Amino acid sequence: SNRSAARMKDRPLLRKGFYAAAGRGAPLDVLSVMSPAGCSHVSGFKVDNWKQNLRVIYQCFVWSGTAETRRRKAKSCICHMCGAHLSRLHSCLYCVYFGCFTKKHIHEHAKNKRHNLAIDLLYGGIYCFVCQDYIYDKDMEQIAKEEQRKFFFFFFLFSPLSPGVGEKYSTWEPTKRELELLRHNPKRRKITTNCTIGLRGLINLGNTCFMNCIVQALTHTPLLRDFFLSDRHKCEMQSNSCLVCEMSQLFQEFYSGHRYPHIPFRLLHLVWTHARHLAGYEQQDAHEFLIAALDVLHRHCDDNGKKANNPNHCNCIIDQIFTGGLQSDVTCQVCHGVSTTIDPFWDISLDLPGSSTPFWPLSPGSDGSVVNGESHQSGSTTLTDCLRRFTRPEHLGSSAKIKCGGCHSYQESTKQLTMKKLPIVACFHLKRFEHSAKLRRKITTYVSFPLELDMTPFMASSKESRMNGQYQQPLDTLNNDNKYSLFAVVNHQGTLESGHYTSFIRQHKDQWFKCDDAIITKASIKDVLDSEGYLLFYHKQFLEYE
Amino acid sequence: MKMEAMSLSGLDNTKLEALAHDIYSDLVEDACLGLCFEVHRAVKQGYFFLDETDQDSMKDFEIVDQPGVDIFGQVYNQWKNKECVCPNCSRSIAASRFAPHLEKCLGMGRNSSRIANRRIASSNNMSKSESDQEDNDDINDNDWSYGSEKKAKKRKSDKVFLRSLKQPVLLVSLALDIGNILFYLFIYLSIS
């Protein structure tokens, strides 16, 4: 402990910088800053069976894992002097005494009984009354860490929260050696709002702009970024051909601080190796590539072998982020019995006006739920219009009768799609490329899309309310479950045969950038919202626990 | 303030709101205290200075918003000479031509079978070496150059066919390839 104090004295410049950093306007006791983190006054405590005693204190009064211990803590932990249970309650380490810190009741006890150590019952910090400061003793901290880990394990084991969260996230702390190295190397960069880190250009490998755009969208999906940057992928594959590992590497490249564009040749190789149906490099469709890439990533995320047992019930990061549930209700026109199926989806493909199938009116008969006129369209088509059309009841016609379980015969029916479960990232695919028997063309109809989208009207639950007679639902502004924000847009310029893909991505809440292969430039929200739009990526605004 | 057990059922809305507000303020205060402890510990353990950055480094990574340059301040289109090593054949390939190379290298796509046939035919003919033949292929395949309209127009009918019938075309072309290989093999064997 004397050594570190000596070292500080030998380096006046370092010391100055250190105080400057530590000061920040708040006055700090110079002595306590200079002294080491631990103190010599704990030696009186560290005798006999002190480790076990300390463990008991942590288990009973600080981190109470079970309902039983929590109840005991709530009932017994009150200040012996004033009865308060908050006010920064502390427990004496030498005897059974609780005193609040704010009113200095624990200080009085310490002085009277000469018990110089106390523990904060909220965060487990140890306070030394001689040093008059919280101290960090290595041995005691080790015990604290172990007890906290136990607490988190038990807490999540016996609670209704999702399993597998038994690990408390612990922030990184440098070791002594690392601290030395960092002190000697003062150059440091931090990701701020005006920082290029996280952005990178991508070389076009020969008409691979379709792939580059999808890579930009994926690397700017916040949850996916957090998953990979916190190193959550544990690879189970034997060979070198794991696409998830390559994805992880891609994030490292994007956050490396390199300015020259990245060459995603390994990614292309891996995707073509694992998705042979994308045969050939001809101008591929960005949407096709997205689905193929998600599929390979999903297959390569082993998720503890669960996939092998039950492919439909995977909990890999891809499923957690992108998979939603689409409900299909087929209603028999005779007995009005409804047959419901729910299918998983990664994207929603929307028809556009201008294709060979008519867009307007949205529903053939009257369905009463649309307030604005359906058949007359003034102004441009909106994304909401497309979604309303997607979720409209569709009469299947006499040539497509369904066998009705209620009537025991083939009957005419209507079919309606609604969202049962929304994914965290909703990808909308505007069907601009028409491939009917005679017609192959690109539909360039402008579709306006919003920055913020509320999916409530398209939910299965909203449909139920409509069917129960509540036609006009006031939009519940307090319900945030279905609110989405735009974060990436992929655009296609040109014709069906030859064209070019570019993308817009969102960074740091409100900054947008245009990604044109190797060239990344700043863009305005207007640029984004005025663009044609081919793939639209929306992120849920509020994330809930399962 | 002594702690006492209390039933919530008898309370009216204002009392409940007041209780909720109390709990909320306690939680906020606890959270703030937690943050204070984190900072205190960082200062005491000596790693608080890590949060500091140096001006020069931050300036290096500032976003540039000027015409003619990208956000890194680089001029457009200077990345012509990038190269990469093919994971399949380990040859060094120009990055902008990697995709067409990979397609042939992995034996995917319509044209790779045509080239394979040519190679088999030429290996019987001793006048040209194999490497020469490969170079000729690369030169002839200006089909693969970026943004080429010629290729698009020439192959329009093929494309319609391919896009709508992906899998069957692949199988048919594979069958044709095998047929070709067997044919040439037969010729070779009958000659020797």
Side-chain angles (χ1 to χ4, degrees):
Chain A
S1 55
N2 285 331
R3 264 186 298 144
S4 60
R7 246 186 258 136
M8 286 294 273
K9 273 191 233 156
D10 289 342
R11 303 210 168 106
L13 282 172
L14 256 171
R15 207 172 14 153
K16 192 170 161 202
F18 187 71
Y19 290 163
R24 293 275 182 101
L28 273 174
D29 180 20
V30 172
L31 233 65
S32 68
V33 164
M34 282 282 278
S35 68
C39 76
S40 51
H41 310 112
V42 296
S43 49
F45 176 76
K46 286 179 168 180
V47 292
D48 302 327
N49 200 18
W50 71 272
K51 283 196 180 177
Q52 190 50 35
N53 292 343
L54 190 60
R55 280 188 202 281
V56 170
I57 292 175
Y58 273 115
Q59 286 166 19
C60 295
F61 305 125
V62 185
W63 291 310
S64 317
T66 62
E68 183 59 53
T69 48
R70 269 205 302 280
R71 212 173 292 127
R72 181 174 50 203
K73 175 177 174 177
K75 286 207 169 136
S76 59
C77 294
I78 54 170
C79 177
H80 283 198
M81 218 170 261
C82 67
H85 65 287
L86 295 171
S87 314
R88 286 176 66 186
L89 201 66
H90 280 61
S91 165
C92 175
L93 278 188
Y94 288 98
C95 71
V96 181
Y97 187 92
F98 300 115
C100 53
F101 194 96
T102 330
K103 288 170 243 170
K104 300 252 193 280
H105 293 159
I106 191 73
H107 299 66
E108 267 193 62
H109 169 83
K111 200 169 75 174
N112 296 342
K113 290 287 171 79
R114 301 245 182 113
H115 291 173
N116 64 341
L117 295 172
I119 183 170
D120 166 48
L121 297 188
L122 196 53
Y123 288 101
I126 311 274
Y127 189 85
C128 172
F129 289 95
V130 182
C131 296
Q132 288 183 57
D133 197 8
Y134 285 93
I135 53 104
Y136 304 99
D137 179 81
K138 210 164 92 176
D139 300 323
M140 292 167 100
E141 286 225 291
Q142 180 60 31
I143 291 171
K145 209 176 278 181
E146 284 165 22
E147 291 308 312
Q148 197 178 32
R149 207 171 286 152
K150 274 190 228 167
F151 159 72
F152 270 89
F153 178 73
F154 280 112
F155 184 67
F156 288 104
L157 193 67
F158 294 118
S159 84
L161 294 170
S162 62
V165 194
E167 273 296 315
K168 177 190 184 281
Y169 171 72
S170 42
T171 49
W172 169 79
E173 259 175 47
T175 62
K176 267 207 165 66
R177 172 84 186 115
E178 283 166 346
L179 263 184
E180 271 301 305
L181 284 169
L182 287 162
R183 272 205 198 100
H184 281 116
N185 298 286
K187 276 187 140 198
R188 240 175 290 301
R189 58 191 184 221
K190 206 156 79 163
I191 300 174
T192 57
T193 46
N194 202 28
C195 190
T196 57
I197 297 176
L199 296 163
R200 192 125 182 235
L202 293 165
I203 294 281
N204 187 310
L205 304 171
N207 275 356
T208 60
C209 47
F210 66 90
M211 177 177 80
N212 289 347
C213 287
I214 298 302
V215 171
Q216 294 289 0
L218 292 177
T219 51
H220 292 93
T221 301
L223 278 185
L224 206 58
R225 174 203 65 202
D226 292 349
F227 176 83
F228 283 107
L229 288 182
S230 50
D231 218 11
R232 303 272 243 110
H233 170 59
K234 311 273 182 265
C235 196
E236 310 265 329
M237 277 181 86
Q238 309 293 5
S239 63
N240 250 13
S241 62
C242 175
L243 190 68
V244 191
C245 286
E246 183 57 33
M247 198 75 218
S248 184
Q249 190 51 37
L250 234 122
F251 277 97
Q252 294 299 313
E253 293 285 346
F254 270 71
Y255 282 85
S256 61
H258 292 317
R259 282 183 269 260
Y260 56 88
H262 174 64
I263 311 174
F265 67 99
R266 266 194 322 268
L267 181 75
L268 185 71
H269 174 250
L270 281 178
V271 174
W272 277 1
T273 310
H274 293 293
R276 286 261 164 181
H277 67 280
L278 289 183
Y281 102 111
E282 290 168 46
Q283 296 184 53
Q284 297 282 351
D285 178 24
H287 174 246
E288 256 181 77
F289 183 83
L290 170 70
I291 300 302
L294 288 180
D295 185 52
V296 179
L297 285 169
H298 160 76
R299 278 189 272 133
H300 287 192
C301 283
D302 188 60
D303 194 34
N304 301 325
K306 278 191 203 140
K307 220 178 288 283
N309 298 330
N310 191 347
N312 290 329
H313 200 52
C314 176
N315 205 29
C316 68
I317 190 70
I318 302 296
D319 273 329
Q320 282 181 51
I321 296 176
F322 294 97
T323 303
L326 191 63
Q327 181 166 318
S328 169
D329 296 310
V330 177
T331 310
C332 170
Q333 291 300 87
V334 175
C335 70
H336 299 289
V338 185
S339 155
T340 303
T341 50
I342 298 172
D343 290 308
F345 70 87
W346 276 337
D347 68 310
I348 298 286
S349 287
L350 300 167
D351 289 316
L352 301 179
S355 72
S356 42
T357 43
F359 190 86
W360 303 104
L362 289 183
S363 49
S366 61
D367 101 330
S369 61
V370 179
V371 177
N372 305 327
E374 311 164 359
S375 46
H376 165 66
Q377 185 57 24
S378 60
S380 57
T381 321
T382 66
L383 178 67
T384 309
D385 291 331
C386 297
L387 284 168
R388 277 198 279 140
R389 183 175 185 280
F390 184 77
T391 54
R392 80 199 187 290
E394 196 185 343
H395 192 85
L396 291 179
S398 47
S399 52
K401 286 186 181 169
I402 305 284
K403 176 131 193 222
C404 174
C407 303
H408 302 293
S409 59
Y410 284 88
Q411 304 291 356
E412 286 191 25
S413 52
T414 56
K415 178 175 136 173
Q416 188 174 17
L417 296 171
T418 47
M419 312 284 173
K420 177 68 181 172
K421 175 192 171 246
L422 288 171
I424 293 177
V425 170
C427 171
F428 298 111
H429 167 227
L430 303 181
K431 290 160 80 175
R432 293 195 177 279
F433 299 116
E434 178 142 25
H435 300 291
S436 54
K438 290 178 184 174
L439 214 56
R440 285 186 72 249
R441 62 183 170 133
K442 182 184 169 189
I443 299 160
T444 55
T445 317
Y446 174 68
V447 176
S448 76
F449 46 90
L451 201 54
E452 320 270 300
L453 177 68
D454 190 333
M455 292 291 289
T456 312
F458 314 111
M459 300 297 292
S461 47
S462 303
K463 178 192 169 215
E464 277 152 32
S465 325
R466 273 207 298 279
M467 283 171 63
N468 293 337
Q470 297 167 255
Y471 282 135
Q472 251 306 75
Q473 283 153 84
L475 267 178
D476 184 0
T477 45
L478 284 180
N479 179 7
N480 293 317
D481 283 350
N482 308 320
K483 296 212 169 106
Y484 283 77
S485 280
L486 186 70
F487 74 93
V489 178
V490 172
N491 286 306
H492 179 270
Q493 297 125 256
T495 63
L496 200 117
E497 281 81 34
S498 98
H500 181 52
Y501 284 102
T502 56
S503 57
F504 287 107
I505 49 98
R506 188 178 191 173
Q507 179 99 320
H508 300 309
K509 187 129 209 282
D510 285 318
Q511 287 191 41
W512 285 88
F513 296 91
K514 181 173 185 184
C515 305
D516 186 351
D517 289 328
I519 305 166
I520 313 289
T521 48
K522 207 154 191 311
S524 68
I525 294 181
K526 188 177 188 298
D527 293 334
V528 179
L529 298 179
D530 282 349
S531 65
E532 199 178 69
Y534 176 53
L535 295 176
L536 309 170
F537 292 84
Y538 284 86
H539 199 290
K540 215 174 202 199
Q541 281 183 21
F542 299 94
L543 300 176
E544 305 269 336
Y545 287 107
E546 289 277 298
Chain B
M1 186 186 46
K2 244 194 161 66
M3 206 174 72
E4 50 190 51
M6 181 173 161
S7 159
L8 290 175
S9 54
L11 300 173
D12 61 28
N13 264 346
T14 39
K15 284 236 168 65
L16 284 172
E17 269 187 42
L19 274 175
H21 190 267
D22 279 347
I23 294 171
Y24 175 73
S25 341
D26 289 341
L27 287 172
V28 171
E29 213 173 292
D30 287 347
C32 294
L33 190 65
L35 179 64
C36 292
F37 276 129
E38 270 180 39
V39 176
H40 180 272
R41 194 199 145 104
V43 172
K44 262 234 137 127
Q45 300 276 50
Y47 59 85
F48 188 72
F49 72 96
L50 293 179
D51 216 31
E52 290 284 297
T53 53
D54 61 302
Q55 285 281 55
D56 293 333
S57 295
M58 292 313 284
K59 262 247 142 18
D60 274 346
F61 294 98
E62 240 174 41
I63 291 170
V64 175
D65 187 12
Q66 273 157 44
V69 290
D70 63 14
I71 54 163
F72 305 104
Q74 295 162 146
V75 182
Y76 301 162
N77 295 324
Q78 54 173 293
W79 316 108
K80 304 285 186 192
N81 300 326
K82 290 279 184 177
E83 286 204 346
C84 52
V85 175
C86 176
N88 204 43
C89 65
S90 305
R91 280 167 67 192
S92 182
I93 312 288
S96 57
R97 294 166 54 82
F98 178 72
H101 161 81
L102 187 67
E103 185 183 3
K104 280 181 269 176
C105 200
L106 289 177
M108 296 156 79
R110 302 163 301 137
N111 293 305
S112 46
S113 54
R114 171 168 63 86
I115 294 157
N117 288 342
R118 251 198 268 161
R119 252 186 237 141
I120 289 163
S122 72
S123 69
N124 296 329
N125 185 347
M126 300 307 253
S127 59
K128 280 195 182 143
S129 70
E130 217 176 281
S131 56
D132 282 350
Q133 194 62 22
E134 260 176 31
D135 290 336
N136 280 343
D137 287 345
D138 285 335
I139 291 165
N140 290 336
D141 282 320
N142 52 7
D143 299 337
W144 308 121
S145 60
Y146 178 65
S148 158
E149 291 285 348
K150 270 193 295 177
K151 167 204 173 199
K153 290 205 177 106
K154 186 175 93 178
R155 299 259 172 83
K156 196 167 173 180
S157 52
D158 287 344
K159 279 199 178 138
V160 176
F161 192 57
L162 187 69
R163 271 205 91 86
S164 53
L165 300 162
K166 273 206 170 83
Q167 294 290 18
V169 166
L170 219 56
L171 289 171
V172 166
S173 74
L174 191 65
L176 283 172
D177 295 343
I178 293 171
N180 278 339
I181 291 167
L182 289 173
F183 176 69
Y184 286 119
L185 192 64
F186 173 72
I187 300 286
Y188 177 72
L189 289 173
S190 52
I191 287 170
S192 59

